[in-house]
Amino acid sequence: MNRRSRGSSSSSGSVGGASDSCRRRSDVPRNRNNDNNKGGDSADVSFIVGTCSSMCPERERVTRERLRDLSVFERLHGNPTKSSSDLAVKKFCRTLSAADVQASDVRPLPVLEETLRYLLSLMDSREHPFEVVHDFIFDRTRSVRQDLSIQNLASERVIHLYEEIVKFHVISRQRLQSCSGASISSMHHLNMEQLAKTLTTLYNIYDVNRKPDYIYENEAEFRSLYVLLHLNTSSGVMGEPLSLWFRKLTSNLIKSKEMCFVRKLLRSYRNGNYRSFLRTTASEATYLQYCISEPHIREMRSFAVECINNVCYKLQPYPLLRLSQNLMMKELDVESLCHECGLEIRTDSDGCIVLPTKQTSFCRPKEGFKNYDLIGIEVESLLCEDT
Amino acid sequence: MAYVSMGEAHRRITEYLNRFCDAVSYQDSSMLCRLLSFSSNSPSLLSLADALNVFQDASSLIRQSDKFSEYGEILAHLFRSLQSYRVGNLVEAYLAFEKFANAFVQEFRNWESAWALEALYVVCYEVRILAEKADKELTSNGKSPEKLKAAGSLLMKVFGVLAGKGPKRVGALYVTCQLFKTYFKLGTVNLCRSVIRSIETARIFDFEEFPRRDKVTYMYYTGRLEVFNENFPAADTKLSYALQHCNPKRERNIRMILKYLIPVKLSLGVIPKDELLQKYNLHEYMNVVQALRKGDLRLLRHALQEHEDRFLRSGVYLVLEKLELQVYQRLMKKIYIIQKLSDPARAHQLKLEVIAKALRWLEIDMDLDEVECIMTILIYKNLVKGYLAHKSKVVVLSKQDPFPKLNGKPVGS
């Protein structure tokens, strides 16, 4: 995954436009501060420096007002044909060729920072259902990323922006779980896709112009998310086998608290040790780590149920209370999980709810993205700690 | 740099030009190899480089003679590259060599027979090595390394030239191996896929036709890819092939193969002899093997920690971590054997409490819940045969073969 190449094939042609495909311009390292451009390399094109001073370029705003293409958040007093420079935010545009991009359409870093701050402030809006909020912020942050990429920006301030966007995707992931509707599952899928892409870009920026042995303030945590997205080696969210990925990490990163945590999780996961997996997550996960771990928490719990059903003595049905403690779940949630796995539960002669074992009807539950609580972790308070 | 007179410089350059053109005319591949092998730093090449730097206008010499000017373009780039190489401008050296290589490959295409294959190998090798050096220079100047990636593209082109029906096709595997080395160094191993597919599925290629040395290298790299992807049976096949066919005198190569084969074999339940580890200086695996033999979980964890950097760099760390379950199995077996000696009638009952005690003795603190969890997994993955009576807090072992061997299959398959 060496993204440091100049990608001379990508010249000024199909620029950052086409969403966030592999050849992102921000892969290209910044030599703008140390003007060492020793002639020679023909790929040393100079990048656009944006001059748009508002969240949305004026000509786009005017066009969209005319076409009635304004989001609810952009309407002035609810008027579908009128916006303002305080409300309009540049939309993500998929096809962009360098010829069409003018500096006046691109927002410089301070404006992008202001834009992102504004967008994230909408997360708490109660006026509209969350799906609507998410949809808007999803699209507009993608445009922010696009502007960053076109200008090939890569500084600590830029890192901060990308980190905030990753957080947005993660928080969205959690909040979408309580939404309902036909489009939620595809929203979730697209959200995860952009999360992965944002992370990839972020990692490239961490790598660019890095001083030896230096890691950025939050780098360890954000790198650890990669591991959590790849616990299962066959799932190719970002494509590279973990063993290969670890080879490239510096020693500082590997020894960081966050990396040690996910490596512990990885070990537990691969050895099937659900006890250790759940316990470690509950006691050490940060908010972001917890959220990304959720599908695996679910997976480990189903696995645990499968094992227990498979190996336990038939004449000693497994008490649900104990199971709930082992799996760190509420008893009602365990019942629900068992049903999802196609297993029946009974009440025994003492009035205890038990899981009879050696049932032949076990099946792996369908992949949902709704999750049961993890007892022992206060997710919301983790979020407050981190922000 | 030695002082060279203009006259001497003229002589050296002309000599080289003659040798080069004669080599081509008489199809003398080994001579050609010597003339192109920059990284050998042979005295004759270095003295030629000095001469070029003094003479400065070798192109005029080339133009003067019909014999030389036939290969004018090739030679001009080659000389420029050598000059830069000599004075340590490795990026310039690479850029010129790349141009030389492109021109050379064009000529090569026109030569009907495969006489120049060895020379082509040298060119491919030098392209890669020079690119690596150029990238080092770029990084040390704060710029982005990109030449090795470019070298990869060039090598793919060469592969394309060789992938045809004629006798030149036996060279394709060598180029493939150069590509592997390039991609592995870059970390872009997914790019290996397309060239692997060509080698393994294209009808023009017959694997057995390729030179032995290349087959061994090929299996080594594809075996490593299988290790990264944790396909242990496939990794075993490929790396074992490499081992069997590797020249026994090449101890360094054997060691490299074993470095990956051993973790694979361990995952399949096959334990190497200590003599093997000692012979090839694979001390990092000694404690791992010992831990497996004795069921000593503490030793395994310690060994992983001690050599963490090395194992992570080579990419076998995750494979070794997974051996934990087999170590647990061995530990359970030991407890069972000990119990059999003191109380044969009850030996097949492993109390969770007893297991916890054994683990504490290994300085591993585990509560009964986790012990139960581990036993559940061991039984589920067929490392232990029996069942768990959780209420009685005991594992009841099967009377027959309670600790099945892996027999060449990875755990849990």
Side-chain angles (χ1 to χ4, degrees), chain B residues 94 126-136 147-148 151:
Chain B
Y94 171 78
E126 295 294 327
V127 160
R128 182 173 65 89
I129 297 299
L130 268 175
E132 284 181 21
K133 292 190 171 133
D135 275 354
K136 265 207 204 108
K147 298 307 177 199
L148 191 55

Side-chain angles (χ1 to χ4, degrees), chain B residues 335-372:
Chain B
I335 297 175
Y336 169 68
I337 291 173
I338 293 172
Q339 284 186 177
K340 230 174 162 182
L341 292 174
S342 54
D343 186 2
R346 293 249 183 74
H348 64 287
Q349 291 182 17
L350 293 184
K351 291 214 179 87
L352 297 186
E353 192 49 76
V354 170
I355 298 172
K357 208 189 317 185
L359 287 167
R360 263 197 304 276
W361 200 70
L362 286 172
E363 288 171 20
I364 295 179
D365 231 331
M366 217 180 260
D367 65 18
L368 288 189
D369 280 340
E370 199 174 343
V371 174
E372 183 189 283

Side-chain angles (χ1 to χ4, degrees), chain A residues 17-36:
Chain A
S19 71
D20 312 316
S21 64
C22 288
R23 297 175 294 114
R24 283 191 67 94
R25 272 314 218 20
S26 49
D27 301 345
V28 182
R30 297 191 64 228
N31 275 319
R32 290 179 38 208
N33 285 336
N34 61 332
D35 278 329
N36 261 342

Side-chain angles (χ1 to χ4, degrees), chain B residues 231-264:
Chain B
N231 295 331
F232 295 134
D236 187 14
T237 309
K238 296 185 177 166
L239 291 171
S240 296
Y241 178 102
L243 187 66
Q244 276 158 27
H245 293 82
C246 182
N247 183 341
K249 294 207 196 94
R250 301 262 190 216
E251 293 205 352
R252 192 173 156 263
N253 290 350
I254 294 187
R255 180 179 190 281
M256 280 165 70
I257 298 171
L258 284 174
K259 207 163 73 147
Y260 294 95
L261 187 54
I262 288 174
V264 170

